[in-house]
Amino acid sequence: MAERSPAGRTMTVVVCVLAGFMMTVSALASRGTDLRADRSADMRELILSQRTRNEDLRAEAETLRQEIDDLRRVQGADPALGEDLAQAGVISSTVAMTGPGMRVVLTDAPADVKPAGIDDDALIVHQQDIQAVVNALWSAGAEAMTIQGQRVVSTTGIKCVGNSVVLHGVPYAPPYVIDAIGDQGRMERALADSEALQVYRQYAEAFGLGYSQERVGTLRMPGFAGSVGIDEAQVLR
């Protein structure tokens, strides 16, 4: 075997040093994790982590709200002030409510439904479908509302993340249950008259998406336990 020249030996050393440097940088960058990790798994973990955090914060807010109510009772607040606070609680949806109302349930099409030429997006419930139900019920004078058991407030946002819907930072899978307390006849008419829901029901009939509505004699709704995110507001006249 021919002896390698000094230049060749030098090049070999340089290549080895560069390779070692690149491996070291890669290890530091990944900090022990896979540089090509499954992004879907990371997103699922992030959603689950955020859901846990939101639930903890909601529980803490509810505890603090209960402490405020206890202090108010102990100190014997002015009755007029108490009435104003109670009314404010109703308006802001932070007090529990009970009464008759409507229940609407939306569901994705069955997994085995694959109509030719139809995009998969047309076979699942989207945020705008839920929003259409919410808007119809509010327009009919709904006094209180929940989605998936969570109280809906004026700042509630409904967002799609993949095949789930995120509400107050918590992801939910279908079926999506929307309950509303109020005049049942008016809410039924509003649901029937909604153009957006008329389109949704056509899809439901054609492709198997779920849609149902029913009158419920007694609905019990918890008060909203999170932050309403409002610093100042006034009643529109």
Side-chain angles (χ1 to χ4, degrees), residues 131-234:
Q131 192 67 58
V133 175
V134 170
N135 290 344
L137 295 171
W138 281 138
S139 71
E143 301 169 18
M145 193 181 305
T146 61
I147 302 175
Q148 304 299 76
Q150 279 210 55
R151 189 71 175 269
V152 177
V153 297
S154 59
T155 56
T156 296
I158 304 168
K159 301 177 182 178
C160 276
V161 177
N163 289 337
S164 64
V165 168
V166 176
L167 182 70
H168 298 152
V170 181
Y172 293 99
Y176 302 109
V177 181
I178 304 103
D179 289 338
I181 292 174
D183 185 298
Q184 295 168 321
R186 287 184 61 188
M187 290 192 288
E188 283 178 332
R189 289 190 293 274
L191 292 169
D193 292 341
S194 168
E195 293 183 4
L197 287 179
Q198 289 171 8
V199 173
Y200 177 88
R201 284 191 288 264
Q202 291 172 0
Y203 271 80
E205 183 175 350
F207 305 126
L209 282 83
Y211 178 88
S212 67
Q213 64 180 63
E214 63 175 326
R215 293 189 176 198
V216 180
T218 302
L219 290 169
R220 294 179 175 83
M221 299 186 178
F224 179 65
S227 170
V228 294
I230 297 177
D231 296 323
E232 182 178 339
Q234 65 182 38

Side-chain angles (χ1 to χ4, degrees), residues 16-40:
C16 290
V17 170
L18 285 174
F21 176 75
M22 292 174 66
M23 287 187 290
T24 301
V25 170
S26 177
L28 289 172
S30 65
R31 296 187 181 276
T33 62
D34 182 2
L35 288 176
R36 302 185 65 184
D38 183 355
R39 292 186 178 182
S40 296

